[in-house]
Amino acid sequence: MISRYITEDVTEKVLSLLGEYATGQLGTDLSWARLEKAFGYSRQALSANQTIKNKFKEAKRSLKDHKKGALTVVADADELEWLRKENIVLKNRIAEYEKRFKRWINNCHKRGINPLDLDAPIGISPKTAYRSRENLP
């Protein structure tokens, strides 16, 4: 027969069970109803014991953090995979630009063009020059 009062022995068993719940070993659906079924005491009696109540809150908080952590791990893994693919694409693009640059330098030397002349600023276009002459008085 169940004692009317929660004994130290029962308190230790409840705390042990709550500790297992906190790690996520027993799932994430911790409730006072589950504790009622497991130990035969009412929610009011279990929550009146301050030690059990504090451990219950701690276990719930731990399970909540565990759920968030699991979701963020999946999201982080997906993002990491996407970033790795993007990194490969960008490395290939850089390799193609390097090949193009080498071709340009080679063609400059073949035609006798100084590669530094390629960086010269673009002058005013004939159309812009014509327009500026029209506006003069």
Side-chain angles (χ1 to χ4, degrees):
M1 182 170 160
I2 296 176
S3 170
R4 182 173 172 187
Y5 300 102
I6 298 177
T7 63
E8 287 295 318
D9 187 42
V10 173
T11 302
E12 288 177 21
K13 288 180 183 177
V14 173
L15 294 177
S16 173
L17 182 67
L18 289 172
E20 289 181 34
Y21 262 110
T23 62
Q25 294 175 355
L26 300 177
T28 57
D29 51 345
L30 173 63
S31 66
W32 286 112
R34 286 194 175 265
L35 292 178
E36 285 178 18
K37 286 180 184 177
F39 295 100
Y41 292 98
S42 68
R43 178 195 61 81
Q44 291 84 357
L46 290 167
S47 64
N49 185 322
Q50 200 60 37
T51 310
I52 294 174
K53 185 177 181 180
N54 291 339
K55 186 69 173 183
F56 182 85
K57 286 181 181 179
E58 183 181 310
K60 287 294 268 189
R61 196 174 311 116
S62 176
L63 289 173
K64 186 177 180 183
D65 293 344
H66 183 68
K67 283 182 185 176
K68 286 182 182 176
L71 292 175
T72 57
V73 167
V74 170
D76 290 346
D78 290 344
E79 183 179 7
L80 182 62
E81 184 63 30
W82 182 83
L83 289 172
R84 284 184 176 150
K85 288 178 182 177
E86 183 72 14
N87 194 19
I88 290 169
V89 168
L90 293 175
K91 283 183 180 182
N92 290 338
R93 188 178 296 170
I94 289 171
E96 288 183 27
Y97 283 141
E98 287 175 348
K99 288 178 187 177
R100 182 181 285 178
F101 177 74
K102 288 176 185 177
R103 280 195 312 265
W104 288 351
I105 295 297
N106 185 34
N107 290 335
C108 284
H109 287 295
K110 282 183 180 177
R111 291 181 176 88
I113 301 171
N114 185 357
L116 296 177
D117 290 342
L118 296 175
D119 278 336
I122 299 175
I124 298 174
S125 72
K127 193 174 194 179
T128 305
Y130 179 74
R131 287 181 182 159
S132 64
R133 278 190 258 150
E134 282 183 358
N135 292 335
L136 292 176

